[in-house]
Amino acid sequence: MKKTVLAFNRVSPELVERLQPHVELIVPSPERGDIATQFAAALPHTHGLIGAGRPLGEEQLRSAERLEVISSISVGYDNYDVDYLTQRGILLTNTPDVLTESTADLAFALLMSAARRVAELDAWTKAGNWKRTVESALFGCDVHGKTLGIVGLGNIGAAIARRGRLGFGMNVLYSGNSRKPALEQELGAQYRSLDELLGEADFVCLVVPLSAQTRHLIGRRELALMKPSAILVNIARGAVVDEAALIEALQEKRIRGAGLDVYEKEPLADSPLFALPQAVTLPHIGSATHETRQAMADRAVDNLLAALAGERPRDLVNPQAWRKA
Ligand code: NAP
């Protein structure tokens, strides 16, 4: 008998096509009423969950008595209560690597846009303001040759650092949990404490996972350590930054600008950030290209089907659950 899989968010026709021959697939749909109700009704029969962007822990999964695996279509897994899943022997998988380069591209797009005021001046031009040569009040700042500070030199952090070093001749600093000798060798990257990095970098890029240790890693004190000419780029998770403190720093021009893809509360609505032209605000699209979302879905399907077949999935977040499963 086929096992039952419940899909939530990011469900593409391709994902449905790949899964359908192998499992009994349930995809909640607004046409059949409330999504949350359909989700809750399916949970007790579900062996596997696949999707992204939904907090899942004890409260949501109590009734999911048959659940064997959650396959997240994301690299970040801060939405899941990993300890609870592990304790219940539920496998959790993610999709690392396949989104690294696209997310690094987006980080650089934010950095460039904030530095050269791309989004702001696009809106300015389209509003019919371009009457004569642009004057210095609308100038941006250089990117090439500047100092790039990466907080969290993991897969995406390293890909951003390569763009900075090899594409723009930037000097790369990094902070994080551990030293990265290979990247120091490859890119001339230099390790700094977080405080030192904040004081030296012209661009600070946040690329750490959200955890108890990184929640509000950048707050009022840390923003005060940044140069007034510096730009903060956050493609990690919104809560890595104390957003109220960031808004205040931007309003008071204590830093030059920000490039943001993620927010403490998403979707972002009615934010004071909207009134700040020096803040570039994107709607959490780090991995949102056709190619990358397809690759992520494929990887998530592979992980899900392996786990349901009793094989150890490639991208297991909680290996301790493997022994229990
Ligand atoms: P990764 O390869 O695991 O890299 C994470 C890096 O963060 C590692 O270098 C790690 O250090 C460092 N780190 C972990 N905890 C830390 C702490 N408490 N303090 C300082 N550094 C810490 O992950 P990745 O693939 O690069 O992804 C990073 C994050 O980006 C994801 O978790 C996700 O939240 C976010 N992301 C966002 C988007 C988007 O759409 N905006 C897309 C993809 C990913 P060690 O190497 O020393 O362990």
Side-chain angles (χ1 to χ4, degrees):
M1 214 175 73
K2 284 180 179 175
K3 290 191 169 171
T4 300
V5 167
L6 174 58
F8 59 100
N9 302 342
R10 292 199 189 167
V11 182
S12 62
E14 292 82 8
L15 182 136
V16 171
E17 199 177 310
R18 263 206 72 197
L19 276 177
Q20 240 157 7
H22 306 283
V23 301
E24 207 59 61
L25 186 63
I26 302 174
V27 184
S29 152
E31 285 135 38
R32 291 196 297 277
D34 181 46
I35 296 273
T37 309
Q38 294 171 56
F39 189 86
L43 267 185
H45 323 288
T46 293
H47 300 96
L49 283 165
I50 186 165
R54 189 180 193 113
L56 291 173
E58 181 169 6
E59 192 188 326
Q60 296 80 11
L61 297 176
R62 215 171 279 130
S63 68
E65 287 169 8
R66 298 184 183 175
L67 190 60
E68 297 170 22
V69 56
I70 301 176
S71 176
S72 188
I73 314 176
S74 66
V75 66
Y77 47 86
D78 46 282
N79 266 326
Y80 308 97
D81 183 340
V82 181
D83 289 343
Y84 172 73
L85 298 179
T86 305
Q87 179 212 317
R88 279 198 44 197
I90 298 168
L91 305 179
L92 174 65
T93 64
N94 67 345
T95 61
D97 311 327
V98 289
L99 44 51
T100 296
E101 299 299 331
S102 302
T103 310
D105 286 348
L106 199 273
F108 234 87
L110 280 169
L111 186 157
M112 294 292 291
S113 184
R116 298 301 306 269
R117 304 172 67 167
V118 174
E120 177 189 356
L121 293 180
D122 172 65
W124 181 89
T125 306
K126 287 173 179 163
N129 290 311
W130 190 17
K131 308 275 198 275
R132 61 189 72 83
T133 305
V134 166
E135 290 177 2
S136 64
L138 293 177
F139 289 1
C141 67
D142 275 339
V143 171
H144 64 272
K146 293 284 184 73
T147 296
L148 174 61
I150 308 280
V151 182
L153 196 61
N155 288 332
I156 299 170
I160 298 169
R162 277 190 196 98
R163 282 157 177 73
R165 179 71 204 149
L166 306 175
F168 293 82
M170 296 174 93
N171 171 34
V172 176
L173 308 179
Y174 74 100
S175 72
N177 273 340
S178 59
R179 294 288 290 262
K180 310 285 178 193
L183 289 167
E184 291 187 12
Q185 181 82 20
E186 179 192 338
L187 302 171
Q190 298 172 55
Y191 182 80
R192 295 284 191 274
S193 70
L194 177 62
D195 284 5
E196 287 167 347
L197 179 147
L198 292 170
E200 285 181 58
D202 298 304
F203 299 92
V204 175
C205 269
L206 306 176
V207 212
V208 287
L210 176 61
S211 66
Q213 290 76 41
T214 60
R215 187 171 292 277
H216 285 195
L217 185 69
I218 303 297
R220 199 161 275 116
R221 188 190 78 82
E222 290 72 23
L223 289 161
L225 294 174
M226 289 175 65
K227 297 180 190 178
S229 57
I231 286 170
L232 182 75
V233 174
N234 187 10
I235 58 102
R237 286 289 182 265
V240 172
V241 176
D242 176 345
E243 203 165 286
L246 173 63
I247 289 167
E248 209 177 273
L250 288 166
Q251 284 170 336
E252 294 171 9
K253 300 202 172 9
R254 284 190 269 110
I255 62 172
R256 183 194 295 271
L260 307 171
D261 189 39
V262 287
Y263 310 89
E264 290 206 74
K265 187 168 183 320
E266 297 180 6
L268 186 66
D270 272 347
S271 169
L273 287 166
F274 295 163
L276 295 168
Q278 72 274 40
V280 184
T281 50
L282 294 183
H284 199 150
I285 53 163
S287 64
T289 67
H290 293 293
E291 300 90 333
T292 293
R293 283 290 169 85
Q294 181 63 50
M296 290 166 72
D298 281 342
R299 186 88 165 237
V301 168
D302 291 346
N303 283 324
L304 178 83
L305 294 179
L308 291 177
E311 295 158 18
R312 186 184 164 113
R314 177 174 175 184
D315 306 304
L316 194 51
V317 170
N318 56 347
Q320 307 88 322
W322 177 243
R323 289 191 299 272
K324 290 190 172 189

